[in-house]
Each structure stands twice: as structure tokens, then as C-alpha cells.
Amino acid sequence: MSELSTTPATGWQSTLDNLLRAGQAYLTLEQQRELQRINIERASQGLAPLDVSQYGMGVNVGVSNETSKLVKTALIFGLVGIVLNKLLK
């Protein structure tokens, strides 16, 4: 019986980890797009591009355990809210 109770948790953990990674990748992509947009705008004004390495962007690619737990909890509540919303309609 204990095997059955741990298997779904592992599956959910894996799903949440994948969602978290996908969210991080999306945010990184959006940051890169915004930086590219800003640099194109700066180039049209004759300004030098921004050098983000001096600001430390991209140095901290990991997420702290506390942040990860918070995001996972928010995702769970969000998913439950969506399911309840669909069921109550």
C-alpha cells in the first residue's frame, strides 16, 4: 500500500519540477527578447548596446528551495482552482 501512495507523489513532483523548469526557460527567453528589443532601440539612437554581464544577469541560474516550494504550492492551488472552476460551470 505504501508503494501506491509514494508513486503518485513522485509523478506529481516530476510534473511540478518540469513545469518549474519550463517556466524558468520561458522567463529567460522573455528577458532575452526584451534585451534584444532594447538594444535594437539603442542602436537606432546611436547608443552602445547594454552589456548585461556587468549587472550579473545569468549568474544565478538556480532557484532556492524556498522559492521552488512556493512556486510548486502556487501551481497546485492554481491547478485546483482551474479544476474547481471547470467542475462548477
Side-chain angles (χ1 to χ4, degrees):
M1 183 80 171
S2 64
E3 288 179 17
L4 293 175
S5 64
T6 58
T7 303
T10 302
W12 278 107
Q13 181 68 32
S14 176
T15 301
L16 291 175
D17 288 343
N18 289 335
L19 286 172
L20 185 60
R21 281 190 212 107
Q24 290 171 338
Y26 175 77
L27 290 176
T28 300
L29 176 64
E30 286 301 312
Q31 288 174 342
Q32 290 172 347
R33 285 181 179 167
E34 181 66 14
L35 179 62
Q36 183 179 23
R37 186 194 64 75
I38 290 170
N39 280 335
I40 289 171
E41 186 178 304
R42 288 177 60 87
S44 69
Q45 297 171 358
L47 300 171
L50 293 177
D51 179 17
V52 295
S53 64
Q54 67 185 358
Y55 301 111
M57 291 182 70
V59 172
N60 185 9
V61 294
V63 176
S64 72
N65 286 335
E66 293 174 9
T67 303
S68 178
K69 287 178 186 177
L70 180 63
V71 169
K72 289 175 185 177
T73 302
L75 285 172
I76 289 170
F77 281 113
L79 291 172
V80 168
I82 290 169
V83 169
L84 287 175
N85 187 26
K86 295 291 183 182
L87 290 174
L88 295 176
K89 283 189 175 183

